[in-house]
Amino acid sequence: MRALVIGWASFRHGEATAGDVLSMRRVDEALSTMGLPHDLAWSPVYRPGDVNYEEVDPARYSHVVFVCGPAHGRQVREVHRRFAHCHRIAVGVSVIDPEDDTVTGFDEIFARDQGGLGSPDLSLGVPTDTVLVTGVILASGQQEYGDLGHHAAVHASVKDWIARVDCARVPLDTRLAASDWERCETPDQFTSILSHLDVVVTTRLHGLVLSLQAGVPALAIDPVEGGGKVTAQADALGWPALVPAEEAANRDVLDSWWRWCSSVQGRAMAALRALPGDDGLMRDMVKALKTRPVR
């Protein structure tokens, strides 16, 4: 006996949702507990190199367990066709039409919802690890820097790097809008989000400043060759976690500063930078306003 666990996260043209993957973990744990040999099949898009149900030898398996999502559609029919000799069980699925051949093709089906009745989803209660919640704040192109601005290349490097970091990524934008639900309307809303983060990765000046104001370590990358306003602000604040545009493609450098921002030292320094700074610009402005103009 050997089972193959398949879900919508196994389909090349499906999708791997957090709930799908947790449900497959739940089944994996149950089969391991009962000592039944089994494999989990994953989409080659989601997890290239892992078990792909399209490429395995169906004769190797006696059972197929289909997990989560709707029991419906072409791809489920393909599972029935490819593993016709197996005892096929569906668990934690939605049954929309009990007479559909995708449903009747299973030897046994244990639905999470059918005919208006429901059972708790399999993802409920599955243990998960806690990872760092990371805000990613990238600047739009800043034409004022001309040929010195390398925003596209720097952002491509940063995105490729952060995609490989084990963290919970939260894309953020400092730009505000009153009618766009995907953006904050007020600075207060934006800084409230920042206060719940562990780390920020940013190429924006205010991504750096507002993160430190919230006491959150910021890995700042300056997209301007030779250093622009992000570098100047990091220097003004005495903030060390700054990567120049020339080193943005160096993963070792980014990894090193990431570890520092995630450390006790990085968090402690960010907390200190949250304190009110020197108000020199305001003093200079007030002094200028008190000066009587000469006509």
Side-chain angles (χ1 to χ4, degrees):
M1 292 178 61
R2 188 174 192 88
L4 182 63
V5 180
I6 300 177
W8 284 90
S10 310
F11 295 146
R12 183 184 300 271
H13 300 293
E15 59 181 10
T17 70
D20 292 335
V21 174
L22 287 174
S23 295
M24 290 179 71
R25 279 191 197 175
R26 179 77 170 273
V27 171
D28 177 35
E29 181 182 272
L31 297 182
S32 297
T33 299
M34 69 179 290
L36 177 64
H38 63 282
D39 297 315
L40 272 65
W42 299 107
S43 161
V45 177
Y46 174 54
R47 290 189 180 175
D50 280 7
V51 174
N52 180 350
Y53 90 96
E54 298 173 339
E55 298 178 351
V56 298
D57 178 6
R60 188 165 184 250
Y61 299 98
S62 59
H63 292 72
V64 165
V65 181
F66 187 82
V67 183
C68 197
H72 179 79
R74 173 185 58 80
Q75 296 180 102
V76 180
R77 291 188 181 92
E78 176 61 18
V79 171
H80 289 314
R81 186 199 66 78
R82 185 168 172 76
F83 299 92
H85 69 285
C86 291
H87 188 78
R88 298 183 301 282
I89 301 169
V91 59
V93 297
S94 296
V95 175
I96 295 92
D97 179 3
E99 302 305 318
D100 190 282
D101 60 354
T102 56
V103 175
T104 59
F106 288 106
D107 297 289
E108 298 178 80
I109 191 160
F110 305 97
R112 68 180 174 190
D113 50 270
Q114 179 177 357
L117 300 177
S119 298
D121 188 75
L122 293 176
S123 64
L124 187 66
V126 179
T128 59
D129 294 327
T130 300
V131 299
L132 295 177
V133 181
T134 303
V136 181
I137 309 171
L138 303 180
S140 54
Q142 296 164 325
Q143 302 304 318
E144 61 269 29
Y145 287 106
D147 292 340
L148 294 177
H150 300 293
H151 295 68
V154 167
H155 290 166
S157 296
V158 171
K159 290 175 183 177
D160 186 60
W161 165 74
I162 195 66
R164 301 166 190 264
V165 176
D166 184 17
C167 66
R169 295 173 287 277
V170 181
L172 295 173
D173 196 334
T174 58
R175 294 175 295 178
L176 305 176
S179 58
D180 184 351
W181 71 270
E182 292 185 306
R183 295 186 189 176
C184 294
E185 183 176 354
T186 67
D188 313 86
Q189 294 171 2
F190 184 78
T191 56
S192 294
I193 294 174
L194 292 180
S195 69
H196 291 281
L197 302 177
D198 296 307
V199 182
V200 165
V201 174
T202 185
T203 59
R204 272 196 178 277
L205 179 152
H206 285 120
L208 167 62
V209 173
L210 297 179
S211 297
L212 296 183
Q213 177 177 291
V216 178
L219 170 47
I221 303 102
D222 196 328
V224 178
E225 180 182 342
K229 56 188 176 184
V230 174
T231 296
Q233 194 61 210
D235 289 344
L237 298 175
W239 183 249
L242 174 73
V243 176
E246 295 82 355
E247 296 184 19
N250 190 325
R251 290 184 182 174
D252 290 338
V253 171
L254 294 172
D255 284 340
S256 177
W257 279 118
W258 168 265
R259 288 192 294 270
W260 183 83
C261 286
S262 307
S263 69
V264 173
Q265 182 183 4
R267 291 194 294 271
M269 185 172 285
L272 289 174
R273 294 303 178 274
L275 300 175
D278 178 57
D279 230 5
L281 288 178
M282 286 294 96
R283 288 196 300 271
D284 291 343
M285 184 193 73
V286 171
K287 181 178 179 180
L289 288 170
K290 290 180 177 179
T291 302
R292 183 180 294 276
V294 178
R295 299 296 183 188

